[in-house]
Amino acid sequence: MLFAALSLVCLAACGRSATSESGAQGAGAPQAATFPPAPAAETTGGFDGARAYKHVEQLVAIGPHSAGSDGIRRAQDYIIGQLKSFGCPVEEENFHAPSTPVGDVAMKNVLVKIPSANPNIILYGSHYDTKRIPNFVGADDAGSSTGVLLELARLLCARKNAETVWLAFFDGEEAFNFNWVNPDNTYGSRELAASLALSGDLRRVKAMILVDMVGPANPVFKRESNSTPWLTDILWSTAARLGYGKVFINELADVSDDHFSFLNRDIPSADIIDIDVPYWHTAQDTLDKVDPRTLAITGHVLIESLPELEKKIK
Ligand SMILES: [Zn+2]
């Protein structure tokens, strides 16, 4: 997630996002010392926040897993193993980022392609690599959205969808250098967008929805200002309808992220992210920062916005 452009926005906006929006469960509730509760899946469109949280827990237990590290191979094994256990068709996109600041790095995107009779594709994405910082396990930054995408995969692979749905777990989103300076970031999403452009499949992608940092206990998701307005509208209006209007707010934030790889190729794309957290890119991004309820809210919005999305792009 971007440092440079955000910092400008942050001057005006970043100080305020710690305000509590935790409505339904009581404002300001401290993180429970034990396993925090998640809303029942029946109340969130079948999306199980507790299952999503368990994935985050497992990914954190792997330890740091930045691109090219030993840890990331264990993260890949975990993600692929879980997806296969759900009956998802899994593909691995292996590639090299030849000129990173640390040299050539072997990377892997993990893809799920759920077929349907309709060729139009809805693509969900999350990065799963953690930032290359000592002792950084990235519970929120990579873990939370990866857990959400895994749980989404469990639901979507088990049913017939009106459109083709793909899920992409991106490697190499994080910059190797501490600061986010192009092109040292979004290696995996740029690779996928490029390979889809080559194969001709990119034009079938009618919507790309990215999730990233969807774990904090008091989330505030602002409309990412570079994202495609109609797509953001569908997500945010669904959230409002479900009663999450104080979580998905109408303020704007400018965040560079994996969705830029698709926006830059004219694919409608949106990003759900709360980057405005004090532990961002520090070793304090630990499991206690992730709330299963926020994972459930995010998943609920993704699942419930799908019918409208399908109508829009069919
Ligand atoms: Zn990050």
Side-chain angles (χ1 to χ4, degrees):
M1 288 75 0
L2 178 65
F3 180 78
L6 180 79
S7 63
L8 296 173
V9 176
C10 276
L11 293 176
C14 280
R16 53 157 302 290
S17 78
T19 47
S20 171
E21 299 289 357
S22 67
Q25 298 243 319
Q31 286 283 331
T34 51
F35 204 81
E42 304 85 73
T43 66
T44 53
F47 186 97
D48 190 337
R51 280 176 177 267
Y53 183 83
K54 281 196 174 150
H55 296 308
V56 184
E57 191 180 44
Q58 292 300 309
L59 289 161
V60 166
I62 286 169
H65 43 282
S66 59
S69 67
D70 288 340
I72 202 155
R73 281 187 277 279
R74 293 192 290 276
Q76 290 157 357
D77 289 346
Y78 178 75
I79 292 166
I80 292 166
Q82 290 297 308
L83 292 170
K84 287 185 172 166
S85 78
F86 306 147
C88 293
V90 184
E91 292 182 19
E92 299 174 36
E93 182 179 44
N94 296 302
F95 63 101
H96 281 257
S99 47
T100 80
V102 301
D104 183 299
V105 178
M107 297 190 189
K108 186 194 294 284
N109 292 328
V110 179
L111 308 173
V112 171
K113 298 181 178 177
I114 309 170
S116 106
N118 189 324
N120 289 342
I121 296 166
I122 299 169
L123 172 63
Y124 294 96
S126 159
H127 78 95
Y128 69 92
D129 63 303
T130 56
K131 189 158 179 65
R132 208 168 61 109
I133 297 173
N135 304 314
F136 182 83
V137 295
D140 188 16
D141 191 357
S144 63
S145 55
T146 304
V148 164
L149 217 59
L150 282 169
E151 171 59 2
L152 194 64
R154 186 184 68 85
L155 291 180
L156 295 179
C157 289
R159 68 183 211 185
K160 276 248 172 286
N161 302 295
E163 315 289 326
T164 301
V165 176
W166 289 5
L167 302 107
F169 298 80
F170 298 122
D171 201 345
E173 185 267 356
E174 298 287 6
F176 286 89
N177 289 328
F178 188 80
N179 288 339
W180 177 284
V181 179
N182 292 340
D184 174 30
N185 53 56
T186 61
Y187 295 95
S189 55
R190 285 188 287 124
E191 178 70 21
L192 180 62
S195 66
L196 294 179
L198 266 179
S199 71
D201 283 335
L202 189 65
R203 71 174 74 95
R204 294 169 53 204
V205 179
K206 304 301 181 189
M208 190 276 175
I209 298 169
L210 182 69
V211 285
D212 191 359
M213 302 184 72
V214 291
N218 300 305
V220 177
F221 298 128
K222 298 174 184 169
R223 289 171 177 259
E224 199 288 306
S225 55
N226 303 283
S227 297
T228 307
W230 68 256
L231 186 51
T232 303
D233 284 345
I234 287 178
L235 295 167
W236 263 247
S237 66
T238 301
R241 178 169 57 79
L242 296 174
Y244 306 135
K246 290 182 174 175
V247 175
F248 288 72
I249 67 170
N250 287 324
E251 233 174 272
L252 292 173
D254 178 350
V255 185
S256 285
D257 206 341
D258 279 317
H259 64 314
F260 272 49
S261 305
F262 293 86
L263 282 174
N264 289 341
R265 293 175 183 270
D266 297 324
I267 305 302
S269 306
D271 191 10
I272 301 174
I273 183 168
D274 182 357
I275 198 173
D276 192 5
V277 289
Y279 52 81
W280 178 57
H281 285 180
T282 74
Q284 280 73 54
D285 185 351
T286 43
L287 189 62
D288 55 299
K289 307 304 188 301
V290 173
D291 189 331
R293 183 176 161 267
T294 309
L295 306 179
I297 288 172
T298 306
H300 195 191
V301 170
L302 293 178
I303 280 287
E304 292 291 342
S305 58
L306 196 46
E308 199 181 338
L309 201 51
E310 287 167 340
K311 233 183 293 167
K312 170 84 182 176
I313 70 167
K314 76 173 179 216

